[in-house]
Amino acid sequence: MKDLKNHIKILSALSVAASDTRRDTFISVVIRTLNEIASCERKELAEYINEQFGFEPYQPELDEVVNYLIEEGRVIEKKKMLSLSTEEKETIDAQDVEARDKEKSRYQNFKNFIKYDLGYDLDDDHVKLLWGTFLEYLYNSFYEYGEDAIKTLHPHIKNGDGNSYYESVLSSIIKEIDNSELKVLFKQIIERFPDFASTEDLNFLNDLAQKTLSFSSLGFQADIAQDTVNHEIVDWTLYLDTNVLYSLLDLHSHPENDACKALIQLVRENEEYIKVKLRYSDITYKELGKKKADFDLLDDKITDSSIRAMLKTDNLDGFSRKFYERLLENREGTIHPSEAIGLSQTTLKYNTIEIARNAKRIEHLGEDYINAKVQEFYEYINRRNEIRKEFCDSKKIPFHPIEKSDKQALHDITLRELLLESRHKEIKGEEVSLNSIKYFGVTLDDLLIQFDKSKTKEDYDVNSFPVFFKPSFLLNKLVRVLPIQTKDYKKAFIKAVTSKGFHKDSSKSRDVLKIVNYLKSQGIDDEKVVYNIISQDIFLEKYHKESQNEDFNQKEFIESELNREFKLFQEQLENTRKELAFSTETANTRAEENQKLETKKSILESDVKQYEKALKKVNKRMRSLEKTVNGVSSQEKINFEAGEANAKAQKEKEKAEALKKKLRDEIEGQIENEKDVNVRKWQRKIWWHLFWVIPCAFAALFFVLPSEQNPITDQANRYKVAGVFMAAVILIFLYLIRNRYWNEINIKARRENHKVSEGLRNKLKELE
């Protein structure tokens, strides 16, 4: 490995690509592109994205995002033209206005810093030159060091490299400044950036870090992967089911047709990053060959008008519809399905899809074993039909049972068992992982996928991974481990991070609402205090992470943040007072600078007061109420002689009683909630019984299978014994469920017998 830094970059990209960040980033890319171009045809969108952001999206992934945005009503599609909805457009415009205002504020702060703090009185052209160079320095820092660049640039983050700039980035950027005096000034700006950074500057840095992370989710840089990445990130053998071959040969209409073709194309075009062998079994080839007989009635000489008439009906199967649609579009270039199947081996081989000869392995599995597994498949289908029939009967809707022919069931189960056996042979004691088991099946059959999922065990072996996947699912997973498609990675990066609306984490919005609602509940509504908390991405990220823990205490967390902000403002106020005292003593101090410091001091004093108020409200809300109650109670013992004083005392007594009642109600509500939680935990424990129910069920099923060791030789008797045993197990389990979920007496007893936590009991005692 030649470059550890590049390797870490790629691993980080692979990690973040697996999260929701990638999808959210694509959403922002589509929204911003449509906002820029107003409207375009769906097929042209990828090209416009490339123009706007400098990278080519994978088409299937792009289609999925576009469909989602259309369903959400954020994108409108009319006559194959895509455009933003009116509401979305208004939201984007508002965001852009806000972004421009913040940019002006940051520029003004930069200009003031140069003039008042560094003492340089420059003309606007020179300030703009330094501003543009400074931004370029920031962009290049994030490009070179990823989101870790914020550790050096952000004053509140202490785990950086100890320097206030990146020497390698600075040396390359500073060459763009010709004036030697400006070069010295620029280095001062970089070194002292954490000192002059305003709230808007820090928010801008946090945005850059988020945008860098989002850009990484789109894929790593292809050229640095040559020496730093194992080029077999994925090492699989995919077996294609017959229905997938139908899609690849254009024999039927199916929503997954495009995904099937895109999956094969993706594998072929990215052999250096994903090692995927494409196979289909000889039993699949035989099933494909038998399909030829179904196409005898398809006449390629029929007239266009007759074809259009047939296509208007809903009575054509997917194969017939696909053939006649293609015939209507291109009569000369469309071959008959029978001919397509005849040429299938050659066609598939051209796409690097090889036939696998599995006859000996099937023979090794044994006919009895395969038949037993087929029987399990039919039992699963019967159970599904029973459930569906009950549902249809209850809703009084027609019931159409799920059906599977014997030949289809035999093919599907044989293919599944072949893949499982291949996995067992491949592992040979190695650690189980997606790459070590290697073998997977690709199918369009939902029933087979659901059956396969139901058979997946929790044990960490080859059976713990599903055998079959849909093409669209695999496609979505594979694009996440591939490099971004771009000719100039750095240019694409700069385009993305300089875009106003490039992805920001949507989870932050939910966290902001939680925090604001909590502050409101504590009586804290000062605009500046609230804004300073919710505008800090570092705080929000920490809040989001901590809030995932079960023992998360929102009050303590926010109180800690308020204390930190309070101390920060206190330090700033103290420093400002010192500066003001020093400047007042200096004879040559300018009046304008004095005025500036006085203004800053006044603002900070106001901020400190607001945080003091907020801290008091968070820390002492309950305590102050309790003190009020105790204080009023003690006043009741005083013998006031004046009637007015007695009236006042009576009022305060009533107020105290009201406060007591309010506190008691709140505590009793907490006790009730605690009881509810206890009951729910008790109810959920019932599902631990599945650890003996499921093994018993499997034991009963295995008892039915023929065995020389089985003392009961008669098959009918074995079915009876197994049935009685299964019925007993199920009845016991249902009885346990009934006792905990539907038996009101038991639930009530559980609630009444719950031992209230000591903290709540003490609070109640204090009110008595």
Side-chain angles (χ1 to χ4, degrees):
M1 186 177 299
K2 295 183 179 179
D3 193 335
L4 180 61
K5 185 178 77 171
N6 286 339
H7 184 67
I8 292 171
K9 271 188 178 182
I10 294 167
L11 292 179
S12 299
L14 291 174
S15 174
V16 75
S19 69
D20 290 337
T21 301
R22 181 183 178 99
R23 188 167 184 271
D24 291 341
T25 302
F26 263 109
I27 288 172
S28 73
V29 165
V30 171
I31 292 292
R32 278 287 154 180
T33 302
L34 288 175
N35 183 64
E36 187 70 22
I37 63 176
S39 65
C40 73
E41 288 189 44
R42 183 190 279 251
K43 62 182 180 181
E44 297 174 341
L45 182 57
E47 185 179 341
Y48 282 114
I49 288 174
N50 196 10
E51 289 179 11
Q52 185 78 3
F53 289 97
F55 76 92
E56 299 175 29
Y58 290 99
Q59 192 62 47
E61 191 173 22
L62 178 60
D63 288 338
E64 189 272 331
V65 167
V66 171
N67 290 337
Y68 166 78
L69 289 172
I70 291 172
E71 288 176 8
E72 290 286 299
R74 299 172 65 183
V75 170
I76 308 298
E77 185 174 27
K78 288 183 179 178
K79 298 180 180 179
K80 298 184 179 180
M81 296 294 290
L82 299 174
S83 61
L84 295 181
S85 67
T86 304
E87 293 79 6
E88 190 69 23
K89 179 67 176 170
E90 289 173 353
T91 301
I92 297 298
D93 290 343
Q95 289 174 354
D96 288 349
V97 170
E98 183 183 7
R100 284 193 292 270
D101 290 342
K102 288 180 179 179
E103 187 174 357
K104 289 177 183 177
S105 176
R106 289 189 292 108
Y107 175 73
Q108 189 60 46
N109 183 57
F110 181 82
K111 188 176 179 180
N112 290 340
F113 174 71
I114 293 173
K115 184 175 181 179
Y116 298 116
D117 293 72
L118 299 181
Y120 286 82
D121 195 5
L122 303 178
D123 58 47
D124 285 347
D125 289 341
H126 284 139
V127 175
K128 287 177 181 177
L129 171 64
L130 291 173
W131 174 247
T133 311
F134 173 67
L135 290 178
E136 192 173 349
Y137 169 80
L138 293 181
Y139 298 145
N140 278 271
S141 294
F142 279 96
Y143 171 73
E144 290 291 339
Y145 296 93
E147 63 272 20
D148 281 348
I150 199 172
K151 294 178 181 178
T152 295
L153 299 164
H154 201 300
H156 292 163
I157 302 179
K158 306 299 183 185
N159 58 338
D161 61 3
N163 297 321
S164 52
Y165 61 88
Y166 291 111
E167 184 66 49
S168 59
V169 179
L170 180 60
S171 59
S172 62
I173 294 298
I174 208 167
K175 292 176 183 177
E176 299 179 12
I177 302 175
D178 297 329
N179 188 308
S180 58
E181 186 179 359
L182 289 181
K183 284 186 178 182
V184 174
L185 173 57
F186 184 74
K187 190 169 182 180
Q188 285 183 276
I189 292 170
I190 297 299
E191 288 177 337
R192 293 191 57 187
F193 172 69
D195 298 331
F196 83 83
S198 65
T199 302
E200 287 79 8
D201 290 319
L202 300 184
N203 289 339
F204 178 67
L205 278 182
N206 291 325
D207 281 350
L208 278 182
Q210 175 62 42
K211 288 178 177 181
T212 300
L213 196 68
S214 298
F215 186 80
S216 297
S217 73
L218 299 176
F220 52 85
Q221 190 173 348
D223 53 358
I224 66 170
Q226 299 302 320
D227 300 320
T228 57
V229 170
N230 175 2
H231 289 177
E232 295 178 2
I233 300 171
V234 172
D235 185 4
W236 296 343
T237 298
L238 296 182
Y239 269 74
L240 310 182
D241 197 0
T242 317
N243 43 44
V244 176
L245 300 185
Y246 293 154
S247 292
L248 296 176
L249 297 172
D250 276 327
L251 292 178
H252 70 166
S253 295
H254 196 281
E256 291 275 330
N257 279 1
D258 290 338
C260 291
K261 295 170 186 175
L263 178 62
I264 305 306
Q265 183 181 354
L266 192 77
V267 169
R268 291 179 62 190
E269 292 179 353
N270 294 279
E271 293 177 352
E272 64 270 41
Y273 302 107
I274 52 175
K275 184 180 177 183
V276 177
K277 295 177 183 176
L278 298 167
R279 299 285 184 267
Y280 61 101
S281 173
D282 47 7
I283 60 170
T284 300
Y285 182 66
K286 288 177 183 176
E287 187 175 62
L288 179 66
K290 292 174 183 176
K291 190 68 179 175
K292 288 173 69 174
D294 295 343
F295 301 135
D296 292 342
L297 293 175
L298 297 183
D299 185 2
D300 56 5
K301 300 291 191 279
I302 197 169
T303 63
D304 288 356
S305 58
S306 298
I307 292 174
R308 282 192 287 269
M310 285 193 297
L311 292 176
K312 286 181 181 179
T313 71
D314 294 327
N315 298 324
L316 285 181
D317 62 81
F319 293 94
S320 302
R321 179 170 294 279
K322 184 67 176 180
F323 171 65
Y324 284 121
E325 283 176 347
R326 295 184 66 205
L327 198 66
L328 199 60
E329 291 174 6
N330 183 6
R331 193 171 282 271
E332 297 298 324
T334 301
I335 64 172
H336 196 275
S338 298
E339 293 179 48
I341 290 175
L343 297 169
S344 60
Q345 235 180 317
T346 304
T347 306
L348 296 171
K349 191 172 184 179
Y350 174 77
N351 286 300
T352 66
I353 306 170
E354 302 283 349
I355 189 170
R357 307 296 179 182
N358 308 117
K360 289 186 177 180
R361 288 170 57 202
I362 295 172
E363 186 178 340
H364 172 72
L365 287 170
E367 186 178 349
D368 290 342
Y369 177 79
I370 295 293
N371 287 338
K373 294 298 179 182
V374 170
Q375 184 60 36
E376 289 180 15
F377 190 24
Y378 276 124
E379 288 171 1
Y380 173 80
I381 294 173
N382 290 337
R383 287 197 300 272
R384 288 285 305 277
N385 279 332
E386 288 173 7
I387 294 169
R388 291 177 71 247
K389 188 175 188 307
E390 287 180 11
F391 175 79
C392 291
D393 289 346
S394 66
K395 300 295 182 182
K396 297 181 180 180
I397 56 177
F399 166 64
H400 302 288
I402 302 168
E403 295 180 348
K404 197 83 166 178
S405 71
D406 293 342
K407 291 180 180 178
Q408 284 179 318
L410 181 63
H411 168 271
D412 293 347
I413 296 305
T414 304
L415 180 58
R416 183 176 187 273
E417 295 304 320
L418 276 172
L419 294 176
L420 286 173
E421 191 211 24
S422 299
R423 289 180 175 185
H424 282 289
K425 284 187 175 181
E426 191 67 37
I427 288 182
K428 297 177 183 176
E430 291 182 16
E431 184 180 353
V432 178
S433 68
L434 282 170
N435 267 4
S436 67
I437 59 178
K438 284 187 183 298
Y439 290 90
F440 297 93
V442 187
T443 185
L444 309 183
D445 190 338
D446 288 317
L447 180 63
L448 179 57
I449 290 173
Q450 290 161 1
F451 170 73
D452 174 55
K453 187 177 179 181
S454 73
K455 301 297 289 183
T456 301
K457 298 181 177 63
E458 294 181 359
D459 301 330
Y460 199 60
D461 62 7
V462 297
N463 288 348
S464 64
F465 295 93
V467 176
F468 290 103
F469 296 101
K470 278 195 173 183
S472 56
F473 178 85
L474 283 181
L475 191 64
N476 181 268
K477 296 301 177 186
L478 288 176
V479 294
R480 294 169 182 254
V481 299
L482 296 177
I484 189 172
Q485 300 181 110
T486 178
K487 295 178 181 177
D488 190 334
Y489 183 86
K490 185 174 183 179
K491 184 179 178 181
F493 173 82
I494 299 297
K495 279 188 171 185
V497 298
T498 54
S499 171
K500 291 185 179 70
F502 197 67
H503 171 242
K504 294 183 181 180
D505 192 355
S506 59
S507 65
K508 289 179 184 174
S509 176
R510 295 188 294 273
D511 291 337
V512 164
L513 293 175
K514 290 178 186 176
I515 294 165
V516 172
N517 286 334
Y518 175 78
L519 293 175
K520 181 183 177 183
S521 72
Q522 302 301 309
I524 300 171
D525 59 358
D526 180 79
E527 182 179 344
K528 189 155 190 175
V529 173
V530 175
Y531 177 77
N532 283 347
I533 293 176
I534 65 175
S535 62
Q536 295 180 43
D537 282 10
I538 302 298
F539 167 71
L540 289 174
E541 286 166 14
K542 188 178 178 184
Y543 176 89
H544 183 73
K545 184 179 179 181
E546 295 288 335
S547 65
Q548 306 303 309
N549 300 328
E550 290 184 5
D551 58 348
F552 174 67
N553 188 317
Q554 185 172 239
K555 175 184 175 297
E556 290 180 2
F557 185 87
I558 294 178
E559 182 183 341
S560 172
E561 179 60 19
L562 284 169
N563 270 310
R564 191 189 69 78
E565 286 287 311
F566 177 59
K567 289 176 183 177
L568 180 65
F569 278 108
Q570 276 187 321
E571 289 173 8
Q572 291 179 6
L573 177 59
E574 189 61 32
N575 291 335
T576 303
R577 283 172 174 164
K578 288 178 181 178
E579 288 178 38
L580 185 58
F582 175 76
S583 65
T584 303
E585 292 170 2
T586 305
N588 297 324
T589 302
R590 291 173 297 183
E592 186 179 352
E593 186 173 350
N594 275 346
Q595 183 61 40
K596 178 184 172 185
L597 287 171
E598 284 287 359
T599 304
K600 185 176 180 182
K601 174 174 167 286
S602 299
I603 293 171
L604 286 169
E605 284 176 339
S606 173
D607 290 339
V608 168
K609 287 180 181 178
Q610 291 298 336
Y611 274 97
E612 282 179 327
K613 289 180 182 178
L615 280 168
K616 285 178 182 177
K617 287 180 178 178
V618 172
N619 287 329
K620 300 179 180 180
R621 179 172 179 266
M622 179 67 76
R623 204 177 305 156
S624 64
L625 286 173
E626 292 175 353
K627 283 183 178 179
T628 304
V629 172
N630 294 332
V632 173
S633 298
S634 64
Q635 288 178 18
E636 290 173 8
K637 300 175 184 177
I638 301 173
N639 184 21
F640 290 99
E641 295 179 355
E644 183 178 348
N646 286 332
K648 184 178 179 182
Q650 182 62 30
K651 277 187 179 181
E652 289 185 348
K653 180 180 178 181
E654 290 172 359
K655 183 179 178 182
E657 290 299 326
L659 285 169
K660 269 188 176 184
K661 185 178 184 303
K662 182 179 179 182
L663 285 170
R664 189 180 291 107
D665 290 343
E666 287 181 3
I667 294 168
E668 286 174 352
Q670 292 175 26
I671 291 173
E672 290 303 311
N673 288 337
E674 190 178 273
K675 288 181 178 180
D676 289 339
V677 170
N678 176 261
V679 169
R680 286 196 294 271
K681 284 183 179 178
W682 172 66
Q683 289 175 329
R684 284 197 293 269
K685 285 181 181 177
I686 186 67
W687 302 111
W688 288 102
H689 289 282
L690 289 173
F691 281 106
W692 64 266
V693 171
I694 293 174
C696 287
F698 274 106
L701 290 174
F702 281 113
F703 187 81
V704 175
L705 299 177
S707 172
E708 294 178 2
Q709 288 75 30
N710 198 324
I712 304 176
T713 56
D714 184 64
Q715 184 70 29
N717 288 335
R718 283 205 297 272
Y719 276 120
K720 288 179 182 177
V721 173
V724 170
F725 183 73
M726 279 285 287
V729 168
I730 292 170
L731 286 172
I732 292 170
F733 185 59
L734 288 176
Y735 175 77
L736 291 173
I737 293 175
R738 176 183 172 277
N739 268 354
R740 295 202 183 187
Y741 280 91
W742 299 308
N743 191 319
E744 294 296 330
I745 296 174
N746 283 354
I747 295 171
K748 185 178 179 181
R750 183 74 186 186
R751 282 179 58 84
E752 291 175 353
N753 294 331
H754 170 67
K755 186 177 180 181
V756 178
S757 61
E758 188 175 352
L760 292 176
R761 289 203 308 271
N762 290 339
K763 286 182 180 180
L764 275 177
K765 286 179 182 178
E766 289 173 5
L767 291 176
E768 294 174 359

